[in-house]
Amino acid sequence: MSKRSKFALITWIGENVSGLQRAKTGTDKTLVKEVVQNFAKEFVISDRKELEEDFIKNELKKAGGANYDAQTE
């Protein structure tokens, strides 16, 4: 069974951010990706509901491929 850690790259962009400001986050994100290259899933979030821990965990499970925890559920 795979017990390796799964990392998420989360970019929070608020709802009232203009299109130009959203585009500027791309350059910063590129710099981060050069340093941190091993993540399971990338999120661009503007809705608080998507920032909940359970949502992030479920998405990381989906990104991880085979779900070995299914036997215990």
Side-chain angles (χ1 to χ4, degrees):
M1 286 188 218
S2 176
K3 296 286 185 180
R4 71 179 180 91
S5 298
K6 296 173 182 74
F7 298 95
L9 175 61
I10 301 173
T11 305
W12 168 262
I13 302 176
E15 296 174 8
N16 298 326
V17 175
S18 71
L20 182 59
Q21 289 174 323
R22 287 178 188 268
K24 287 182 180 181
T25 64
T27 56
D28 295 335
K29 205 167 25 170
T30 301
L31 294 172
V32 171
K33 285 181 180 181
E34 288 177 9
V35 176
V36 181
Q37 298 176 356
N38 187 16
F39 54 89
K41 177 108 175 152
E42 179 178 353
F43 297 90
V44 179
I45 296 176
S46 58
D47 184 7
R48 283 198 182 270
K49 291 180 182 177
E50 293 177 349
L51 198 55
E52 292 178 0
E53 182 180 359
D54 289 337
F55 175 77
I56 302 292
K57 281 184 177 181
N58 287 334
E59 291 298 311
L60 286 175
K61 274 188 181 179
K62 289 179 194 176
N67 184 3
Y68 297 109
D69 293 335
Q71 298 153 351
T72 60
E73 293 178 356

